Amino acid sequence: MIHLYALAATITVALATIVGLLWGRRALTRIAASAAGLMILGLMTAYLLPSGTVEAGSVTTDSQKLLSRDRPVVLIGTSGLRWQDVDPETTPHLWEMLDAGAGAAGATPTTAGSNSLCASAGWLGLSSGQTVLTGSTVGSGADKEYRCADWAVEPADGTAEDADEHGTTGASGPAEVVGWSFLQSLQQRSVFRPQLGTLGDAFADSEKCATAIGPGAALVLADTSGTVSRYLTIEQALRDPVAAFSCPLTVVDAGSAPHDMPDQDDPASSVTPPGPAADNERASDVRAVDDMVSRISAAAPESAQVLSVDVGGPAPGRSSLGVAVSAPEPGEAGQYLSTPGTRWVGVFRVLDLPITLTSAAGIPAPAEFTGSPLTQSGARTADTAESVAELVSLTERDHTLRPLTGVVTTSVLFLALGAFAMITVGLPRLRQRGRVVLARRASRATAGILTVAASVPAALFLMTTWSWWNPAATELPMWTALVGSTALVACTAALAPRNRVWAAPAIIAGITFVLLTVDAVLGTPLHRGSPWVPPRRSAAGTTGSATRRTPCTRRPRWSSRPAWQHWSSAASDGCGPSSPPSRWVRSRF
């Protein structure tokens, strides 16, 4: 609990600095300020030093691809399964897999906002490799609501129904996704123009078979016309697993554990609490999903690489990281999963799966796919309960940090405005009235306020070194880390000589520069506990090289990159001139 020791030391240093400033003890001030600087260095060193096992949420270093090309892949998709739901009683199979050394990670959903309220969101994201639209808003005013697009899977010529009716296994046959055309038309409203059926077309064009088991899997492997070449129901697949899992890729819909959604007409209606599933009525659904994952894993060939991933599901409020596990390999220790795109140990995007599947099958990845293949990013602790707690903490940390961003930004703004008002209005009036002593004290107080306000940006990254989320990601240790880090940076600025107005801001700027430079060089480890970073529970909440490889005609109209970089990127994609942009172009963008 590094934040408790750091808090005690910070209080001591801050008090010594304040005493030295108020009573004119310059020697005491310098000693305390030097101690503050050493504490900053010590916190960074303690946090950044490597250890034997990695913690979920840290920066990935060495990694190797998860899936190999010489073995078939079985992707088991679930919906609504969070790491908060995993425990020995409710999910015994998943717990046993983790005990046996399974790989583990939290999967960020493919969509956010209203689009995430539809059951098709995750499956369609896998089909297109991009964030998709799943419905539309209908009505207006008080009657305005978001309505999910209807769809269904209909086996061709009734093959699945005939097999179930006669009790035979039945060979896999083609199927059609009813409502596919409407789903495709919805995507034209998206700035990214996702193309449904991209994954299915990739396997069809390479003449490699892929089997869809269950309705969600049919959405994943349907081609652009909405046709699935090999489709089976769960019952069929389990009756004849040899035939069902004979392709290089098999995608299975293992069911869902839906969350209770509030009644829009009844504001007092309750929703599923954010705690473990065993505490509410979702427990039976979670157990059913875990049991289905167990049955499918047992039916898969021994040579298969089995990966179970939650593709996301309708949930009230803020989203959470879904459960992702890879079947344990004999003689290998448990690993956390990641991708070079996220660079977060134990975190990857569901949108990283399409390119992972094509890479494992030896198929060239379509240009529409984003991200990079899944990797093993480091050995996790052998204690399953501790590993699960770390993955749960990632969601809790994110939920705790999000509200802080606006509060901190607004608070610093008002502090600066107050100090500006004191400098421009308050101090001149005090001097005009002859209250020189009070004006001098107010001037020092204003300088102190500005020093604290200037220290906050650096503190927002330094607070990560406190590991404030251990043992629990709650608001009290978070605020303690932020206030303590701000005090350390501000106290270090006390080393500046008083007769040099620029000295204190220069010290703070130097600390900020060093923190951000070290953070960038080491792979942004200080982002992990800072509120000034994108959320890790959404499709867009990733850092690193999750590069969009969409053709230039499909580039979004908005971007944070300079325009001349878009110009040069278009040239490299074969959609623009081959020569680099001129100095005139760069200078104006």
Side-chain angles (χ1 to χ4, degrees):
M1 298 173 64
I2 188 173
H3 55 273
L4 294 181
Y5 300 105
L7 174 62
T10 300
I11 292 175
T12 304
V13 169
L15 289 176
T17 305
I18 293 173
V19 170
L21 291 173
L22 292 180
W23 275 270
R25 307 295 183 182
R26 190 59 182 166
L28 179 60
T29 301
R30 289 177 177 175
I31 292 174
S34 300
L38 291 174
M39 280 189 61
I40 293 176
L41 181 61
L43 283 169
M44 293 183 63
T45 303
Y47 179 75
L48 298 176
L49 280 178
S51 59
T53 58
V54 296
E55 180 184 359
S58 56
V59 180
T60 58
T61 52
D62 298 330
S63 60
Q64 58 182 359
K65 281 190 176 182
L66 175 66
L67 304 179
S68 60
R69 293 188 177 183
D70 57 346
R71 298 167 59 189
V73 176
V74 176
L75 174 62
I76 305 174
T78 63
S79 180
L81 196 60
R82 310 161 304 176
W83 279 107
Q84 292 92 324
D85 300 325
V86 178
D87 59 57
E89 289 75 27
T90 313
T91 56
H93 173 68
L94 290 174
W95 197 269
E96 289 176 4
M97 289 180 65
L98 294 170
D99 276 339
T108 66
T110 62
T111 58
S114 299
N115 289 295
S116 64
L117 299 177
C118 303
S120 61
W123 305 108
L124 292 176
L126 293 178
S127 173
S128 63
Q130 299 182 38
T131 299
V132 297
L133 301 182
T134 57
S136 57
T137 302
V138 297
S140 60
D143 298 328
K144 189 176 181 180
E145 63 176 351
Y146 189 84
R147 184 171 298 170
C148 297
D150 295 328
W151 61 276
V153 179
E154 184 177 290
D157 303 324
T159 53
E161 290 84 346
D162 293 342
D164 291 339
E165 182 179 336
H166 294 90
T168 59
T169 58
S172 59
E176 298 288 336
V177 178
V178 180
W180 186 259
S181 299
F182 181 72
L183 288 170
Q184 284 185 316
S185 65
L186 281 178
Q187 312 315 313
Q188 300 306 310
R189 306 176 187 176
S190 170
V191 68
F192 297 115
R193 299 293 194 273
Q195 182 65 45
L196 302 185
T198 301
L199 181 62
D201 279 352
F203 274 84
D205 294 343
S206 65
E207 298 183 352
K208 291 193 176 182
C209 72
T211 304
I213 302 177
L219 289 180
V220 176
L221 294 180
D223 58 23
T224 50
S225 66
T227 301
V228 187
S229 59
R230 291 172 58 93
Y231 177 75
L232 291 168
T233 63
I234 290 285
E235 293 74 15
Q236 287 177 296
L238 294 178
R239 282 198 295 265
D240 188 2
V242 175
F245 297 97
S246 59
C247 287
L249 172 64
T250 304
V251 181
V252 186
D253 180 356
S256 64
H259 299 257
D260 293 336
M261 302 298 292
D263 186 354
Q264 297 182 355
D265 298 328
D266 182 12
S269 63
S270 61
V271 298
T272 302
D279 296 338
N280 54 67
E281 60 185 16
R282 286 186 63 247
S284 59
D285 294 329
V286 172
R287 290 191 186 97
V289 171
D290 180 76
D291 179 67
M292 183 57 67
V293 172
S294 175
R295 295 173 62 190
I296 296 169
S297 300
E302 292 184 1
S303 61
Q305 303 170 98
V306 180
L307 185 64
S308 176
V309 179
D310 190 87
V311 300
R318 294 172 290 184
S319 58
S320 302
L321 292 176
V323 175
V325 295
S326 61
E329 297 290 340
E332 293 188 5
Q335 299 274 325
Y336 279 124
L337 309 181
S338 182
T339 66
T342 63
R343 300 193 68 184
W344 277 54
V345 172
V347 178
F348 68 85
R349 306 180 310 155
V350 172
L351 291 179
D352 289 314
L353 288 175
I355 197 171
T356 301
L357 299 177
T358 55
S359 175
I363 298 173
E368 289 81 3
F369 285 178
T370 63
S372 49
L374 266 61
T375 60
Q376 295 177 327
S377 57
R380 59 180 177 83
T381 176
D383 187 344
T384 299
E386 185 176 345
S387 296
V388 172
E390 288 182 7
L391 292 167
V392 171
S393 178
L394 293 178
T395 294
E396 294 177 345
R397 188 194 316 181
D398 185 81
H399 289 178
T400 304
L401 284 171
R402 289 313 109 202
L404 178 63
T405 305
V407 174
V408 172
T409 304
T410 304
S411 300
V412 173
L413 174 63
F414 282 120
L415 277 176
L417 290 176
F420 179 75
M422 176 60 70
I423 293 172
T424 56
V425 179
L427 293 179
R429 289 189 177 182
L430 289 175
R431 294 190 181 98
Q432 289 175 1
R433 296 176 181 178
R435 307 183 69 174
V436 179
V437 176
L438 182 59
R440 187 181 298 113
R441 292 178 179 175
S443 178
R444 291 180 179 177
T446 303
I449 290 174
L450 291 174
T451 300
V452 170
S455 302
V456 171
L460 285 169
F461 292 93
L462 182 62
M463 63 184 288
T464 302
T465 63
W466 293 55
S467 297
W468 56 266
W469 54 89
N470 291 324
T474 57
E475 291 189 4
L476 179 59
M478 178 194 67
W479 281 106
T480 299
L482 176 57
V483 174
S485 297
T486 304
L488 288 176
V489 177
C491 289
T492 306
L495 285 171
R498 295 182 181 177
N499 59 346
R500 299 290 188 271
V501 178
W502 51 266
I507 290 176
I508 295 175
I511 294 174
T512 305
F513 173 79
V514 170
L515 284 173
L516 295 182
T517 301
V518 171
D519 188 44
V521 170
L522 296 182
T524 66
L526 300 183
H527 280 57
R528 273 46 183 171
S530 172
W532 277 9
V533 293
R536 289 296 169 269
R537 50 186 165 76
S538 66
T542 55
T543 59
S545 57
T547 307
R548 176 173 300 280
R549 302 183 302 175
T550 311
C552 63
T553 55
R554 293 179 181 171
R555 291 188 184 277
R557 295 177 183 176
W558 54 266
S559 175
S560 60
R561 294 192 299 167
W564 70 268
Q565 290 186 8
H566 278 296
W567 194 94
S568 58
S569 297
S572 65
D573 288 340
C575 303
S578 57
S579 59
S582 65
R583 183 179 302 174
W584 184 90
V585 173
R586 292 196 298 268
S587 67
R588 280 152 180 78
F589 294 104

